[in-house]
């Protein structure tokens, strides 16, 4: 269909926080509620954003049905989890001479590396195709 074709061509900037699934939240280590934590941004192919959601849904259904997920019995799911892709950290505001540019290099990974992270769409939804 049209949607998978468009999503396969575009990349999305997704907010994530590997330690806290609340995404944007207030309060720092000292408990100051006026400090807004902004999670990182990860640029990924649009198809990967959708695929991660579909895989999570399938894992939840399998766990509900079977109690656990045995990838030896679900070779199709295992293959989907092992699919390779490239993602990239994206600066939240701007890059200047003080920015550690090595943190923004493309990162090869697999879908399975991204499934545990909590993502949300982090750019202007009017920019979607």
């Amino acid at each position: 269909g049209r949607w998978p074709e468009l999503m396969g061509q575009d990349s999305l900037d997704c907010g994530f926080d590997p330690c806290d699934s609340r995404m944007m939240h207030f309060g720092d280590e000292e408990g100051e509620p006026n400090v807004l934590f902004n999670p990182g941004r990860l640029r990924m192919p649009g198809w990967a954003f959708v695929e991660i959601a579909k895989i999570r849904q399938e894992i939840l259904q399998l766990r509900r049905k079977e109690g656990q997920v045995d990838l030896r019995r679900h070779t199709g799911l295992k293959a989907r989890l092992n699919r390779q892709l490239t993602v990239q950290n994206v600066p939240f505001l701007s890059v200047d001479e003080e920015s550690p540019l090595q943190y923004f290099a493309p990162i090869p990974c697999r879908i399975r590396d991204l499934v545990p992270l909590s993502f949300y769409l982090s750019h202007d939804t009017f920019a979607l195709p």
Side-chain angles (χ1 to χ4, degrees), residues 3-126:
W3 183 249
E5 182 180 327
L6 286 171
M7 291 304 287
Q9 297 170 2
D10 288 328
S11 63
L12 299 175
D13 292 352
C14 302
F16 78 100
D17 187 327
C19 299
D20 191 328
S21 64
R22 291 179 295 168
M23 292 293 116
M24 305 213 27
H25 53 279
F26 290 91
D28 63 6
E29 290 81 16
E30 286 80 37
E32 291 293 327
N34 58 338
V35 176
L36 176 62
F37 284 103
N38 191 1
R41 280 190 177 189
L42 198 66
R43 181 166 291 152
M44 69 177 70
W47 66 263
F49 183 80
V50 174
E51 179 68 354
I52 291 166
K54 289 179 179 180
I55 286 174
R56 284 182 179 155
Q57 183 178 27
E58 185 172 341
I59 288 171
L60 289 172
Q61 290 170 344
L62 287 170
R63 286 177 61 190
R64 196 174 309 120
K65 182 179 176 185
E66 301 175 11
Q68 63 182 3
V69 179
D70 183 351
L71 292 177
R72 293 173 295 190
R73 295 182 50 217
H74 300 283
T75 55
L77 176 59
K78 183 177 181 179
R80 289 168 65 199
L81 286 164
N82 283 326
R83 186 172 178 182
Q84 294 181 324
L85 71 152
T86 301
V87 297
Q88 185 172 6
N89 282 318
V90 180
F92 181 66
L93 296 174
S94 63
V95 175
D96 60 24
E97 65 275 352
E98 301 292 321
S99 298
L101 297 180
Q102 69 272 18
Y103 294 148
F104 304 118
I107 304 165
C109 66
R110 297 181 186 271
I111 290 287
R112 69 174 181 235
D113 301 321
L114 302 176
V115 169
L117 300 176
S118 176
F119 292 109
Y120 71 97
L121 192 57
S122 163
H123 67 172
D124 184 2
T125 53
F126 291 106

